[in-house]
Amino acid sequence: MIKIGIIGVGTVGESVAQILEANRDIITARAGKEIVVKKGVVRNLSKPRNINIPLTTDADEVLDDPEIDIVVELMGGVEEPYRVVQKALQNGKAVVTANKALLAYHRYELQETAGDIPFEFEASVAGGIPIIKSLREGLSANHIESIKGIINGTANYILTKMMNEGVDFAPVLKEAQELGYAEADPTFDIGGFDAAHKLLILASIAYGIDAKPEDILIEGIEQITQDDISFAKEFGYTIKLLGIAKKVGECVELRVHPALVPQSEMIAKVDGVMNGISVIGDKVGETMYYGPGAGGNATASAVISDIIAIARGGKASPMLGFKRALESGLKLLNRDEIVSKYYLRLEVADKPGVLSAVSKVMGEQNISIETMLQKPGKDGKATLLLATHICKESAMQEAINKLQTIESVKERPVMIRMES
Amino acid sequence: MIKIGIIGVGTVGESVAQILEANRDIITARAGKEIVVKKGVVRNLSKPRNINIPLTTDADEVLDDPEIDIVVELMGGVEEPYRVVQKALQNGKAVVTANKALLAYHRYELQETAGDIPFEFEASVAGGIPIIKSLREGLSANHIESIKGIINGTANYILTKMMNEGVDFAPVLKEAQELGYAEADPTFDIGGFDAAHKLLILASIAYGIDAKPEDILIEGIEQITQDDISFAKEFGYTIKLLGIAKKVGECVELRVHPALVPQSEMIAKVDGVMNGISVIGDKVGETMYYGPGAGGNATASAVISDIIAIARGGKASPMLGFKRALESGLKLLNRDEIVSKYYLRLEVADKPGVLSAVSKVMGEQNISIETMLQKPGKDGKATLLLATHICKESAMQEAINKLQTIESVKERPVMIRMES
Ligand SMILES: NC(=O)c1ccc[n+]([C@@H]2O[C@H](COP(=O)([O-])OP(=O)(O)OC[C@H]3O[C@@H](n4cnc5c(N)ncnc54)[C@H](OP(=O)(O)O)[C@@H]3O)[C@@H](O)[C@H]2O)c1
Ligand SMILES: NC(=O)c1ccc[n+]([C@@H]2O[C@H](COP(=O)([O-])OP(=O)(O)OC[C@H]3O[C@@H](n4cnc5c(N)ncnc54)[C@H](OP(=O)(O)O)[C@@H]3O)[C@@H](O)[C@H]2O)c1
């Protein structure tokens, strides 16, 4: 018998306790032994809950209980769970967590403390999709060339609605909030920060790279309009918020931003709240993993798969993992060095000379334009949409700064990177 | 150090040896020890090969070598590899195989012999996609409700071409043969037999069910025409060769056949030679796995992931596995009991009374028609396309037999099942 303590019995924790009960037959068979929840930890003991496990508000009752084999951290946050997980590992308990924010900041320190004690986190990226096991084990014969993920369901829901129904960002966000797909404060999801946390976890597994969210390029989807979407459609693209990790020489490029993705790519077909992660291995080529990125049951399914693996006597999986960088010497690429194709949208005065002023700025940065469209607007304004050939991020940023100073350019140009 | 012997050094075996060499750095790091190919076994020693390992024609040199820890069976066939794998396991050697035909017939006997010795076969289904690990480990908290797979790249290539380019079956098959995507004798792939082998492996893992290819419903894609494809397109479907395993009460339904799949489903978007498998778990919902189903490197990537797992000291994975049926009492559903929606194509004489004769037969079998389309043909003939509501396979088969006896019906009606 394996005894677990669940610290945090909210959406995911409650589902974990319920599924352990509901699917006891197969879970026991697969784990090779019974898994029992000895105690749960919450803040508020008087909240009604749909589970039948002993509760406490004192995490130490779990952390210091010598009978508990596995601590399941599902409380959310960063510093408090950090303390909890450190203590659990120091007390020799295996740990399972779904907490991507915790891992985005403290994954290497925790892995260091864990040593040979199992420390698993399948649920922390893309909820129910077994992407971490797939990267670590399924693709273990490969050098990973790139990972591209739609790893935030809220942002994907909003972009999909905008694409399919021609609705603007603000009303779709409002609807998503009413449906419970977006938080009251949606910044974390639509600003790309949640996706960045998950990307860092994937990049650690694939590249052993140590970076914090602050170190990487993160842009959100707030500025996307129907003009961008009709451009995308016209040229065979869709717009997705992507987390991208890519090996470039001896460096790894990490970035989260909306991107124009060719409609023919499998990842472009991941719609609504679903998540999808495309991984390119040097030998296997592209594989893609699709499924629900959140929700109590889907996330709990991943949490329990980790519990089962540990119960089966699994050893810690340092391979591809946090313990040390396997891809020796891979460094984070400076964001200025990123190369990409770019799409730009400029609101301009509909006057002669604008086009040539814009082209001049681009030329000065050595950026060549692949496609240019001008759409008439209201009140003597026009919208200029253009796609570039490949150039450096630094050149593009410089161009955007310069474009802004042209008198006929009314607002800071909106830029979306193009992936292909 | 782990020593392996490769029995069969053809397309896949050669790639295994090459990748072990090319990616030695990460493979050693992930396995925790060096993996060395001690010997390869082939039929013809004088064939030129792009590898540098000692070769023999005598499999016993590998099977009886006490230094060899893992036997990798990549020779193909059924009875000869059965002998080889049995002997390897009896000699206490771990076995890795990519041989789906072997497993379709002998998986339970081999698992029985293996006992606690690792016996792995990730590459046997969907080449480079880690579907077996995902089913066994990633989804271990779930009862599996259904598996739907595009697990034959040749058939999917042909159907995709027929859908996208409006070309008929015969010329597309010819082209696929010229490109090397189809064998000179393509029956095995386009007749659904290869997919059936793979489906049986997946169904064993999900349901512990013991069945042979002969026991299950298998239909190929040979009869599909552009009439079927335009019907599919008109009503928002695509046509795919699917392997389907589904839990229905205390039974499991297993079948391989072309199916009309709604274009909105993720699996409908798996095109060309690629494979994709959609799995529905009772808790996680739908997850989907996509990637290359064949090819030396992609398949070898999966073979090596098994070798690495064994080298890391992995124990055998009986959970979800072959050792015993975990889902107690699940039986194969009699194929007559399958229920589905059906699409029918009838070549008829363009005369009054045909429609009513057809409707009468359907009515007698209690099959209600959802959609009916008549398309004029040449020489006084017409094509009748219809889609039914849900009915039993036995009723549909009876209806087809009766329809054939109507005088104006020129050929045996073509039936395609509809999935949604
Ligand atoms: N929800 C998802 O779909 C999802 C998906 C993937 C990953 N995750 C991750 O899973 C974790 C849990 O998410 P959730 O949605 O289940 O959160 P939640 O519904 O807010 O539940 C949090 C639980 O932790 C308890 N808790 C919080 N702070 C505590 C403290 N200081 N001491 C004791 N108990 C405390 C809460 O107690 P009370 O009940 O008394 O308030 C509650 O039971 C987070 O890290 C999240 O990022 C969630
Ligand atoms: N190719 C793929 O993309 C793929 C994908 C998934 C699974 N698989 C499976 O992987 C296995 C191998 O496929 P493959 O494409 O690599 O086959 P292959 O190219 O035909 O290679 C077979 C190898 O086995 C050797 N061999 C055959 N019979 C032998 C015997 N009786 N004694 C000794 N050696 C023997 C052959 O020797 P010679 O070289 O001397 O002829 C050859 O080296 C099959 O089970 C197949 O179903 C293949």
Side-chain angles (χ1 to χ4, degrees):
Chain A
M1 190 195 288
I2 288 273
K3 292 198 175 153
I4 70 172
I6 307 180
I7 305 193
V9 193
T11 308
V12 181
E14 200 168 278
S15 289
V16 167
Q18 287 166 349
I19 296 175
L20 284 172
E21 199 52 48
N23 284 0
R24 181 163 298 286
D25 54 345
I26 38 164
I27 291 172
T28 306
R30 288 167 191 172
K33 44 191 90 121
E34 220 185 330
I35 292 165
V36 174
V37 184
K38 186 168 179 201
K39 196 156 278 179
V41 183
V42 297
R43 274 175 306 206
N44 179 352
L45 284 173
S46 55
K47 230 187 237 181
R49 303 180 197 261
N50 299 314
I51 38 156
N52 193 8
I53 58 171
L55 292 177
T56 172
T57 56
D58 179 8
D60 288 336
E61 277 185 37
V62 164
L63 298 172
D64 292 330
D65 183 342
E67 278 198 340
I68 287 181
D69 306 293
I70 306 178
V71 169
V72 182
E73 185 279 302
L74 298 168
M75 65 200 294
V78 176
E79 293 314 324
E80 184 55 15
Y82 179 56
R83 190 194 69 80
V84 161
V85 173
Q86 281 283 23
K87 186 166 176 191
L89 292 168
Q90 279 154 2
N91 286 355
K93 300 184 188 315
V95 170
V96 174
T97 179
N99 190 331
K100 53 245 179 182
L102 170 66
L103 294 165
Y105 285 98
H106 296 300
R107 59 199 184 281
Y108 285 93
E109 296 143 274
L110 291 171
Q111 184 64 53
E112 174 90 28
T113 308
D116 287 329
I117 299 168
F119 172 53
E120 300 292 342
F121 42 86
E122 180 63 69
S124 66
V125 181
I129 308 173
I131 180 63
I132 292 189
K133 289 185 184 59
S134 296
L135 255 182
R136 268 192 180 169
E137 290 160 36
L139 305 182
S140 57
N142 295 264
H143 289 101
I144 303 301
E145 295 185 345
S146 70
I147 300 172
K148 280 187 206 178
I150 294 177
I151 44 185
N152 183 277
T154 307
N156 202 42
Y157 174 84
I158 292 173
L159 289 173
T160 304
K161 275 258 166 181
M162 290 178 69
M163 285 291 294
N164 292 351
E165 299 175 15
V167 200
D168 278 330
F169 177 75
V172 181
L173 172 59
K174 192 150 168 278
E175 194 200 314
Q177 287 171 320
E178 282 159 12
L179 288 170
Y181 290 154
E183 308 278 336
D185 175 4
T187 327
F188 203 63
D189 291 313
I190 64 176
F193 304 103
D194 173 71
H197 289 172
K198 295 166 182 165
L199 179 67
L200 287 170
I201 297 169
L202 297 177
S204 295
I205 295 172
Y207 302 115
I209 197 159
D210 196 359
K212 300 248 179 299
E214 294 74 23
D215 304 329
I216 71 170
L217 192 162
I218 304 175
E219 290 172 13
I221 61 170
E222 307 87 342
Q223 291 196 293
I224 291 168
T225 65
Q226 285 296 328
D227 280 329
D228 307 325
I229 283 176
S230 41
F231 179 93
K233 284 184 179 165
E234 186 165 342
F235 292 94
Y237 290 91
T238 184
I239 301 181
K240 296 291 181 192
L241 179 68
L242 292 185
I244 300 174
K246 207 186 268 178
K247 199 159 131 187
V248 186
E250 292 307 294
C251 288
V252 175
E253 190 177 305
L254 294 179
R255 44 192 170 113
V256 174
H257 54 68
L260 290 153
V261 186
Q263 281 165 10
S264 58
E265 285 195 17
M266 204 59 191
I267 193 126
K269 300 169 186 174
V270 174
D271 279 340
V273 294
M274 300 303 270
N275 284 12
I277 298 134
S278 156
V279 183
I280 297 183
D282 64 344
K283 298 303 173 185
V284 71
E286 183 186 18
T287 55
M288 212 270 293
Y289 307 84
Y290 168 88
N297 276 347
T299 310
S301 163
V303 169
I304 295 174
S305 76
D306 281 343
I307 297 174
I308 292 174
I310 295 171
R312 292 189 62 242
K315 7 170 154 187
S317 298
M319 90 277 204
L320 280 162
F322 292 164
K323 247 177 161 175
R324 60 205 135 89
L326 288 170
E327 302 264 348
S328 50
L330 291 183
K331 294 231 167 356
L332 184 65
L333 188 74
N334 187 306
R335 67 181 79 177
D336 287 343
E337 303 294 317
I338 291 170
V339 296
S340 176
K341 296 173 79 168
Y342 296 83
Y343 156 92
L344 285 180
R345 168 166 49 82
L346 293 93
E347 307 301 330
V348 299
D350 194 0
K351 290 197 294 208
V354 183
L355 277 184
S356 85
V358 168
S359 313
K360 181 156 170 280
V361 167
M362 302 300 271
E364 282 166 6
Q365 297 301 325
N366 264 316
I367 301 173
S368 62
I369 296 173
E370 189 178 84
T371 316
M372 167 117 72
L373 267 185
Q374 182 166 343
K375 293 174 69 175
K378 278 184 231 156
D379 309 322
K381 281 197 277 188
T383 304
L384 211 61
L385 308 173
L386 56 88
T388 74
H389 284 286
I390 279 186
C391 69
K392 262 203 188 166
E393 180 77 14
S394 52
M396 177 50 62
Q397 293 295 352
E398 189 66 23
I400 291 173
N401 290 336
K402 293 256 173 70
L403 287 171
Q404 223 177 336
T405 67
I406 299 177
E407 208 222 304
S408 321
V409 173
K410 296 297 176 197
E411 295 165 23
R412 185 173 168 84
V414 168
M415 173 266 275
I416 309 178
R417 294 172 191 80
M418 304 174 80
E419 278 297 310
S420 54
Chain B
M1 191 196 285
I2 288 274
K3 291 197 176 158
I4 71 173
I6 306 180
I7 304 192
V9 193
T11 308
V12 181
E14 199 166 279
S15 288
V16 167
Q18 285 165 349
I19 296 176
L20 285 172
E21 198 53 47
N23 284 0
R24 180 163 298 284
D25 55 347
I26 39 165
I27 291 171
T28 306
R30 287 165 191 174
K33 43 193 88 124
E34 218 185 331
I35 293 165
V36 175
V37 184
K38 186 167 180 199
K39 197 157 277 181
V41 182
V42 296
R43 277 175 305 209
N44 179 352
L45 284 173
S46 54
K47 230 187 238 181
R49 300 177 201 264
N50 298 314
I51 38 157
N52 192 8
I53 58 172
L55 292 177
T56 171
T57 56
D58 179 7
D60 289 335
E61 277 185 38
V62 164
L63 298 172
D64 292 329
D65 182 341
E67 277 198 342
I68 286 181
D69 306 292
I70 306 177
V71 169
V72 182
E73 185 279 302
L74 297 168
M75 66 200 294
V78 176
E79 294 314 325
E80 183 57 14
Y82 179 57
R83 191 194 68 78
V84 160
V85 173
Q86 281 283 23
K87 184 163 178 194
L89 292 168
Q90 279 154 2
N91 287 354
K93 299 185 189 314
V95 169
V96 174
T97 179
N99 190 331
K100 53 243 177 182
L102 169 66
L103 293 165
Y105 285 97
H106 296 300
R107 60 199 182 281
Y108 286 93
E109 296 143 273
L110 291 171
Q111 183 64 54
E112 175 90 28
T113 307
D116 287 330
I117 298 168
F119 172 53
E120 301 292 341
F121 42 87
E122 181 61 70
S124 66
V125 181
I129 308 173
I131 180 61
I132 292 188
K133 288 185 183 59
S134 295
L135 255 184
R136 268 191 178 171
E137 290 161 37
L139 305 182
S140 57
N142 295 266
H143 289 101
I144 302 301
E145 296 186 345
S146 70
I147 299 171
K148 281 186 206 178
I150 295 177
I151 42 185
N152 183 277
T154 307
N156 202 42
Y157 174 84
I158 291 174
L159 289 173
T160 303
K161 275 257 169 184
M162 289 177 69
M163 285 289 294
N164 292 350
E165 297 174 17
V167 200
D168 279 328
F169 178 77
V172 181
L173 172 60
K174 189 148 172 278
E175 194 200 312
Q177 287 171 320
E178 282 160 12
L179 287 169
Y181 291 152
E183 309 278 335
D185 175 4
T187 328
F188 202 64
D189 291 314
I190 63 175
F193 304 102
D194 173 70
H197 289 172
K198 296 166 181 166
L199 179 68
L200 287 170
I201 297 170
L202 296 178
S204 295
I205 295 172
Y207 303 114
I209 197 158
D210 196 359
K212 299 246 180 302
E214 293 74 25
D215 304 328
I216 71 170
L217 192 162
I218 304 174
E219 290 173 13
I221 62 170
E222 307 87 343
Q223 291 195 293
I224 290 168
T225 66
Q226 285 298 327
D227 280 329
D228 308 325
I229 283 175
S230 40
F231 179 93
K233 283 185 180 165
E234 187 166 341
F235 291 94
Y237 290 91
T238 184
I239 302 180
K240 294 292 180 191
L241 179 69
L242 292 186
I244 299 174
K246 209 186 267 181
K247 199 160 131 186
V248 186
E250 292 306 295
C251 287
V252 175
E253 190 177 304
L254 294 179
R255 46 196 171 109
V256 174
H257 53 70
L260 290 154
V261 186
Q263 279 165 14
S264 58
E265 284 195 17
M266 204 60 194
I267 193 128
K269 300 168 185 175
V270 174
D271 281 339
V273 293
M274 299 304 268
N275 284 13
I277 298 136
S278 156
V279 182
I280 297 183
D282 64 344
K283 298 302 173 185
V284 72
E286 183 185 17
T287 55
M288 212 271 292
Y289 307 83
Y290 167 87
N297 276 347
T299 309
S301 163
V303 169
I304 295 174
S305 76
D306 281 343
I307 297 174
I308 291 174
I310 295 171
R312 291 189 62 242
K315 9 168 151 188
S317 299
M319 88 278 203
L320 281 163
F322 292 163
K323 247 179 163 174
R324 60 203 137 94
L326 288 170
E327 302 264 349
S328 50
L330 292 183
K331 295 231 164 1
L332 185 65
L333 186 76
N334 186 306
R335 67 180 79 176
D336 286 342
E337 303 293 317
I338 291 170
V339 297
S340 176
K341 296 172 79 167
Y342 295 83
Y343 155 92
L344 286 180
R345 168 166 49 83
L346 293 92
E347 307 300 331
V348 299
D350 194 358
K351 290 200 291 207
V354 183
L355 275 184
S356 84
V358 168
S359 312
K360 182 154 170 283
V361 167
M362 302 301 270
E364 281 165 6
Q365 297 303 321
N366 264 316
I367 300 173
S368 64
I369 295 172
E370 191 179 83
T371 314
M372 169 117 73
L373 266 186
Q374 180 166 344
K375 293 174 69 176
K378 278 185 231 154
D379 309 322
K381 281 198 279 187
T383 303
L384 210 62
L385 309 173
L386 57 88
T388 74
H389 284 287
I390 278 186
C391 69
K392 262 202 187 165
E393 181 78 14
S394 52
M396 177 49 64
Q397 294 296 351
E398 188 64 24
I400 291 173
N401 289 337
K402 293 256 172 71
L403 287 171
Q404 225 178 334
T405 67
I406 299 176
E407 208 222 303
S408 321
V409 173
K410 295 299 176 199
E411 295 165 22
R412 186 173 167 81
V414 169
M415 175 266 278
I416 309 179
R417 294 174 191 80
M418 303 174 79
E419 278 298 309
S420 56

